[in-house]
Amino acid sequence: MSDDSTGIPMILPEEQAGQRLDAVLSQLLPETSRSRIQTLVRDGRILVDGVVEKPSARIRGGEQVEINWPEIEPSTWLAQDLPLHILYEDADILVVHKPAGQLTHPGAGHADGTLVNAVLAHVPDNAYLPRGGIVHRLDKDTTGLLVVAKSEMARQSLIDQLGDHTMHREYLALVMGPMTGGGRVDAPIGRHAHDRLRMTVRDDGRPAQTEYRLVERFPRHSYLRLRLATGRTHQIRVHMTHIGHPLVGDPVYGGRMMVPQGLDEVALAHWRQFRRQALHAWRLRLYHPESGALMTWESPLPADMTELLTLLRDARDGH
């Protein structure tokens, strides 16, 4: 299966003389994003009068363009009939809610049972898309919203939106320690020098920015709303730990569990049963790849995090 069915040479319009090659081609190929066209040009897969050009080359008009679309091999990941919580679906995208305990993609020791295995059963053609059409991920024990592309055009559009920060991903989290207000963490993230399973703030890491706002404060904890400006691995978990407010229940970055004051034995037992990072991807906002319409979805806080908030409020208010 190829990116596009057409193999017919195109003639560049003379009325667009002086414009950039990638800009003109993106108008002639509306199903293919500009960044995808730039990649094809740089890879030598687009020839202008038989010559490899740069994406920024200015056209004269009348040139003949030939495109060598790459063949895409289907994924070897299994399609599995697993539960799939769909919030929205059309011909271009699929928006789903990922539960706690499920990986987004197969990895070492986890060949199946992941979100993408469920997606491939629901949309078999996604086997021809890189990573099954999923362009961003959530950690295994983070719940919430993910968008899945159902075509290469949609996939490239979503990747572009992630790159230029027009896709907004907002999270809800419970962290340890009382906070006085919101702020922004701007600290590069890279792999930990001694523990390959952990990420850390380091000077030579990749740029990472997280904005956070205080929703509710408790004597020993804080309830936050966060927005990602970038999407590094474990970003929220690492950044919150970096500023001294690790996520409640985080098994990797959380350290010793901070228990609310005033819990009775039953409430304390419920609190200690929470064994994942208290992080939920609750809002997703993006521009539809085909129509350009701004779309927003929200996913309610899961029951286990709702119970933590109830315990915190009861302890604070003396119930």
Side-chain angles (χ1 to χ4, degrees):
M1 182 176 178
S2 63
D3 263 357
D4 191 287
S5 60
T6 181
I8 303 172
M10 296 183 299
I11 303 299
L12 297 182
E14 294 185 359
E15 60 269 22
Q16 292 181 292
Q19 296 185 27
R20 285 175 56 115
L21 174 64
D22 56 356
V24 174
L25 289 176
S26 67
Q27 295 175 38
L28 297 176
L29 301 167
E31 294 295 307
T32 306
S33 73
R34 187 164 175 175
S35 65
R36 176 63 168 159
I37 288 170
Q38 291 170 343
T39 298
L40 292 170
V41 173
R42 293 190 188 101
D43 290 347
R45 289 188 169 274
I46 295 181
L47 301 180
V48 181
D49 285 341
V51 177
V52 175
E53 294 281 7
K54 295 181 179 179
S56 59
R58 303 289 172 173
I59 73 165
R60 302 183 309 277
E63 300 98 321
Q64 180 173 286
V65 172
E66 297 178 44
I67 305 176
N68 176 23
W69 297 98
E71 291 295 319
I72 300 175
E73 295 295 330
S75 167
T76 58
W77 289 334
L78 295 174
Q80 293 180 292
D81 187 15
L82 302 170
L84 191 62
H85 184 178
I86 299 172
L87 279 76
Y88 176 84
E89 183 174 15
D90 61 24
D92 301 293
I93 59 174
L94 179 69
V95 177
V96 301
H97 170 92
K98 190 193 81 64
Q102 185 179 52
L103 289 168
T104 304
H105 291 102
H110 300 277
D112 55 21
T114 71
L115 180 66
V116 78
N117 296 118
V119 167
L120 292 177
H122 184 71
V123 191
D125 281 351
N126 270 34
Y128 292 93
L129 295 177
R131 304 192 69 74
I134 299 179
V135 298
H136 62 119
R137 61 184 290 275
L138 295 176
D139 295 336
K140 178 181 177 182
D141 288 324
T142 297
T143 55
L145 297 173
L146 276 167
V147 61
V148 184
K150 294 175 64 178
S151 69
E152 179 61 16
M153 179 277 294
R155 192 181 76 89
Q156 286 296 326
S157 172
L158 296 175
I159 289 173
D160 289 347
Q161 292 182 55
L162 283 167
D164 61 20
H165 311 313
T166 52
M167 182 190 296
H168 290 174
R169 293 165 291 161
E170 297 184 55
Y171 292 73
L172 297 171
L174 274 168
V175 302
M176 291 189 273
M179 302 179 76
T180 57
R184 177 183 174 93
V185 184
D186 189 345
I189 291 176
R191 188 72 59 180
H192 194 282
H194 306 296
D195 185 347
R196 305 306 293 171
L197 299 179
R198 293 167 60 97
M199 307 299 286
T200 189
V201 169
R202 50 187 296 170
D203 291 341
D204 61 349
R206 300 177 69 188
Q209 298 88 35
T210 304
E211 299 173 358
Y212 63 92
R213 183 164 69 87
L214 180 65
V215 178
E216 193 170 357
R217 183 170 58 246
F218 303 94
R220 293 184 175 181
H221 299 84
S222 299
Y223 183 33
L224 305 179
R225 181 179 297 171
L226 308 102
R227 193 171 86 175
L228 292 178
T230 54
R232 309 304 176 209
T233 301
H234 298 176
Q235 178 173 318
I236 289 175
R237 299 163 66 187
V238 171
H239 273 175
M240 290 299 102
T241 298
H242 179 65
I243 64 172
H245 295 280
L247 270 62
V248 169
D250 193 326
V252 178
Y253 304 99
R256 187 170 174 226
M257 185 75 130
M258 187 178 291
V259 178
Q261 292 176 318
L263 295 183
D264 60 28
E265 289 187 9
V266 174
L268 182 59
H270 281 288
W271 182 270
R272 294 192 184 281
Q273 286 173 2
F274 190 85
R275 299 183 181 275
R276 70 175 182 92
Q277 62 267 11
L279 184 62
H280 175 64
W282 82 284
R283 178 184 282 171
L284 177 66
R285 178 176 294 168
L286 55 85
Y287 291 93
H288 191 275
E290 176 64 30
S291 70
L294 182 61
M295 307 183 77
T296 303
W297 299 269
E298 294 180 1
S299 175
L301 199 67
D304 58 352
M305 285 183 63
T306 299
E307 183 179 26
L308 288 188
L309 275 174
T310 299
L311 293 173
L312 286 168
R313 288 166 181 153
D314 287 349
R316 179 192 60 193
D317 301 336
H319 296 164

